[in-house]
Amino acid sequence: MDFDRADAINQAIRLLSLRHRARAAALLAPLGLHPGQETLLLELARTGPRIQAQLSEALGCEPPSVTLMTRKLEASGHVRRRPAPSDKRASIVELTDSGAALAERVKELWCALAEETVTGLPEQTVADLPGVLGTLTANVDTRRPRDDARRARQDRGSDG
């Protein structure tokens, strides 16, 4: 790939990420939420109570970030923590009634943000976006071990 094409791709992804996060922050602020907290609420709404380590893995963020988000949401009455029966060092996080209600409001906001984001795109492109973006994310995911076997196969294919 030449530099101009690479630069165009990287700049587009960077700008989309920055502007989407800023727009999400503006929409979340009236709900008293900061970016990231909504994903924790939505994960708990989707899965039910989770151990903080599970939340960290599901959200793709470091455990201290989940701890901080959980503390803030607990202080505002949206989640509660309790010791895990199997490991007293671990905490189980669950939504309170106000957290469940807030998660429903976040779902509405998330739908509006997604619709705003894809305005003007053909329906098939919108349908393909989660898969395309998932592939892009997997390609740059530093948390996963690199697939050396895949690379070796690609290298062999380009040699002959």
Side-chain angles (χ1 to χ4, degrees):
M1 176 179 310
D2 68 22
F3 174 77
D4 288 339
R5 188 171 188 189
D7 189 46
I9 290 169
N10 289 323
Q11 289 295 337
I13 292 169
R14 185 182 71 79
L15 288 173
L16 173 60
S17 176
L18 289 171
R19 294 199 175 130
H20 188 271
R21 185 172 173 87
R23 183 68 179 128
L27 294 170
L28 292 168
L31 301 179
L33 295 174
H34 297 283
Q37 292 176 329
E38 83 286 356
T39 58
L40 191 146
L41 290 171
L42 292 173
E43 180 66 17
L44 291 173
R46 194 173 12 258
T47 64
R50 303 285 300 266
I51 293 174
Q52 281 187 210
Q54 293 171 325
L55 285 169
S56 176
E57 180 64 27
L59 301 179
C61 55
E62 296 298 319
S65 297
V66 171
T67 299
L68 183 61
M69 282 190 281
T70 301
R71 284 184 184 149
K72 289 181 178 182
L73 290 169
E74 186 177 36
S76 60
H78 300 306
V79 301
R80 70 178 140 258
R81 292 184 296 171
R82 57 183 162 84
S86 59
D87 181 356
K88 296 298 181 199
R89 296 169 298 160
S91 293
I92 295 176
V93 183
E94 61 187 334
L95 290 175
T96 62
D97 289 343
S98 74
L102 184 57
E104 289 304 313
R105 291 179 65 197
V106 169
K107 286 179 185 180
E108 293 168 11
L109 179 148
W110 233 219
C111 289
L113 178 58
E115 287 177 20
E116 182 180 317
T117 303
V118 300
T119 295
L121 292 177
E123 187 56 41
Q124 187 58 53
T125 301
V126 173
D128 292 341
L129 268 178
V132 170
L133 296 172
T135 298
L136 294 177
T137 300
N139 288 344
V140 298
D141 191 350
T142 59
R143 295 174 308 130
R144 70 182 171 109
R146 294 294 173 204
D147 185 357
D148 292 334
R150 178 179 55 89
R151 263 196 249 130
R153 284 193 307 274
Q154 288 173 337
D155 290 345
R156 281 194 307 272
S158 64
D159 288 341

